[in-house]
Amino acid sequence: MKVCFKVLYLIYFIVLISLVTCKIVSICFDGINGIYYVINDLKWVIEDIKQNREFGYWNYNLKPFEAYSYWFSLGITKGLILNLLGNIVAFMPMGLFEMALSKHKKLWKVVLKCFIVVTCLELFQFLSCLGYLDIDDITMNTFGCLLGCLSYYLLVSIRRKAKNFFTKI
């Protein structure tokens, strides 16, 4: 069972890294055209970020909720909600897998590990010019990991109660 979890976690992590760094979502929907789109989009993002850096604008945001309040002020609430949910939901499996595969099962240790991984992903985006380092992404991704950890406890509790219920019958 643990081997299966490890393989699933590896697949999830590869997909997650691809989504976060290379934005491969369109490949799933557009096939070859999606690959072309992703490559062109990555080139554009890298060039845009490099050009902005030349003018002194760096690809990071360290002010909490600044981007969200900006989107809200522009009336882009649907994009704001999708971004929030995407950042949280995409990282819930990480918390769940980490908790399931952890030997110590201590919530704070698993969440700290997830926080470090999330921060490294954000730093990679910043350093590679493949995206923007955003404190809000780190916060929401880590919150998603926390929810994943709590989901693990919930599933274990449900499993235990079901096992007890069926042993009494």
Side-chain angles (χ1 to χ4, degrees):
M1 183 72 157
K2 255 197 169 157
V3 173
C4 182
F5 259 57
K6 287 180 180 180
V7 170
L8 286 173
Y9 188 30
L10 180 65
I11 293 168
Y12 159 77
F13 200 74
I14 290 169
V15 170
L16 181 70
I17 288 174
S18 300
L19 287 170
V20 169
T21 59
C22 301
K23 320 298 189 241
I24 64 158
V25 177
S26 62
I27 293 174
C28 300
F29 299 110
D30 296 331
I32 297 297
N33 291 334
I35 293 170
Y36 176 77
Y37 170 77
V38 168
I39 291 169
N40 281 335
D41 192 47
L42 284 174
K43 287 179 185 175
W44 180 84
V45 167
I46 291 169
E47 288 304 313
D48 186 50
I49 289 172
K50 285 182 179 178
Q51 190 176 40
N52 284 340
R53 284 182 176 184
E54 288 175 15
F55 292 109
Y57 301 108
W58 289 79
N59 55 319
Y60 67 86
N61 169 36
L62 299 178
K63 295 178 184 172
F65 306 109
E66 182 179 58
Y68 293 142
S69 60
Y70 177 70
W71 287 17
F72 189 74
S73 71
L74 293 176
I76 309 175
T77 53
K78 183 179 180 183
L80 171 65
I81 291 168
L82 287 174
N83 186 282
L84 277 168
L85 287 176
N87 278 323
I88 293 169
V89 172
F91 283 82
M92 285 177 68
M94 181 186 289
L96 183 74
F97 280 122
E98 284 292 335
M99 189 60 81
L101 295 171
S102 173
K103 291 179 182 162
H104 45 72
K105 307 279 190 250
K106 293 192 186 253
L107 182 66
W108 72 271
K109 285 185 178 182
V110 173
V111 173
L112 178 62
K113 182 179 179 181
C114 291
F115 170 77
I116 291 168
V117 170
V118 164
T119 302
C120 288
L121 285 172
E122 288 291 313
L123 285 170
F124 176 77
Q125 286 186 100
F126 172 74
L127 295 171
S128 67
C129 296
L130 288 172
Y132 294 84
L133 184 152
D134 192 341
I135 192 71
D136 296 334
D137 287 350
I138 293 172
T139 305
M140 293 302 130
N141 295 165
T142 304
F143 181 67
C145 290
L146 172 65
L147 291 178
C149 291
L150 296 175
S151 298
Y152 170 80
Y153 286 128
L154 179 66
L155 291 171
V156 166
S157 174
I158 291 170
R159 182 177 176 214
R160 212 176 278 137
K161 287 181 182 180
K163 189 176 180 181
N164 288 341
F165 176 77
F166 288 113
T167 55
K168 290 179 182 178
I169 294 180

